[in-house]
Amino acid sequence: MNTQTNEHHPWAEPYKIKMVELLRMTTREERLAAIREAGYNTFLTRSRDVYIDLLTDSGTSAMSDRQWAGIMLGDEAYSGSENFYHLEAAVREFYGYKHLVPTHQGRGAENLMSQILISDGDFVPGNMYFTTTRLHQELAGGTFVDVIVDEAHDPENTFPFKGNVDLDKLDALVQEVGADRVPYISLEGNVNMAGGQPFSMENLKALRQYCRKHDIPIMLDATRTIENAWFIREREAGYSDMPVRKILREICDLTDGCTMSAKKDALVNIGGFFACNDDEVFKKAQNLVVVYEGLHTYGGLAGRDMEAMAQGIRESVTEEHMAARIGQVRYLGQKLLAAGIPIVRPIGSHAIFIDARRFLPHIDQEHFPAQSLAAELFIESGIRTMERGIVSAGRDPETGKNRKPKLELVRLTIPRRVYTQAHMDVVADAVIDVYHRREEIRGLKMVYEPEYLRFFQARFEPLT
Ligand code: PM9
């Protein structure tokens, strides 16, 4: 199809730079001092010490001139802000849900949805856990059950739809606990913890059929679902000529509602929403949001934030934006693969995930290989990345023991519209340099562990 991209360079940026943010270059000694100070946790480093920030693609996008112009149109009325109605129109047009409740970010929406739909003792199946999503399910009395296909847990498996739900696993759960103990299935687009891996439309249609039969709603985590739609077009028969925005609508039309962290796909620095089609669920969410976020027409956001989000959604579904987004991530991934660096394949949409088990086979999982590698990359070059392995997985609430995920990964997450091709080259070279001296890297021990979402605030010391 005509994707309106540059024929000489299919992922060339569809924008030019009007303003730049200056970065500080640091010495190795400064970075060593900074990571020690941060307890070897990249979340606890200061951004002034970071050269290339690949911690997350969440809230780190560069907004467009039109989004900044939208900021000036903020209608900061307590109730009924004009910007809310613009956002509602954008969500209805591109995501297709009838009702919208804005929230300050994704986990605000997860809190509302979990409290409304989950009862004590319920089971919530999902295509791999996400940290905040699972925690809200647990806080509401539910137990998350992983029903993603086995391929997703194998970083070397190149199956094109590693985000698919395994219907046999789902059925086994439903048979065991009964459909009335399954309030919904939690379906994430472009599964983050699996490496940014999509589900197929074929799988979603089969899931829809199954869920209709058992009267189980499908609640989408729409955070990176436009990226999922892009992969459906690239990889699934029958979609190669369909605009990405139409594929997004088709996905949403097969689901009953969604939570959204607009800080990713939707190109804003803050914002999220809960959306659904059911009138009763909507009424409950509209009421509950007042308790946790703010009135139902602002949900913890300023009017200007909602305007930027409405415009961000419109930009996020364009072909040229998505081509540049996916192309840049792929460029980095291909450089690393060419150098023999073990990364999760297929290359995902929002990040490159280094397989720390294969990168550092001499470090036992109990000694946090991915955490150690993230710290080492920071020391090497001021690149800030994130652990996605045993630290992120946390402890089993029943046994109190460490969960030991098969995937022990370091995520190099690419913010949208922020870094250049030269930055990607620096990142690749730094990773390759660390790989060449990987035997020198030692593991860590955890010396402070907070109760919730420990990866954000845990502290470590090097093993002697
Ligand atoms: N994701 C990320 O960096 C930000 C914080 S957690 C380390 O990947 C999904 C799929 C997400 C996500 C956040 C949320 C929560 C829900 N679903 O951060 O609350 O990737 O806006 O969204 C992060 P908020």
Side-chain angles (χ1 to χ4, degrees), residues 56 105-107 110 130 188 192 221 224 261 264 411:
T56 179
Q105 58 184 85
R107 68 198 74 179
E110 289 170 349
F130 185 71
E188 185 188 335
N192 191 354
D221 181 336
R224 297 185 185 84
S261 170
K264 284 81 163 173
R411 191 181 73 173

Side-chain angles (χ1 to χ4, degrees), residues 21 53 68 82 86 115 202 207 270 307 316 327 461:
E21 183 177 340
D53 201 351
W68 281 107
E82 209 34 35
H86 296 167
Q115 287 206 39
E202 188 188 10
L207 178 67
I270 193 71
E307 192 62 35
S316 69
E461 281 173 7

Side-chain angles (χ1 to χ4, degrees), residues 43 55-58 105-108 110 130-133 188 192 221 223-224 261 263-264 271 350 386 388 411 455-456:
F43 276 103
L55 184 69
T56 179
D57 62 333
S58 180
Q105 58 184 85
R107 68 198 74 179
E110 289 170 349
F130 185 71
T131 52
T132 57
T133 320
E188 185 188 335
N192 191 354
D221 181 336
T223 299
R224 297 185 185 84
S261 170
K263 300 169 73 174
K264 284 81 163 173
H350 68 302
M386 182 191 292
R388 297 276 78 166
R411 191 181 73 173
F455 58 94
F456 282 129

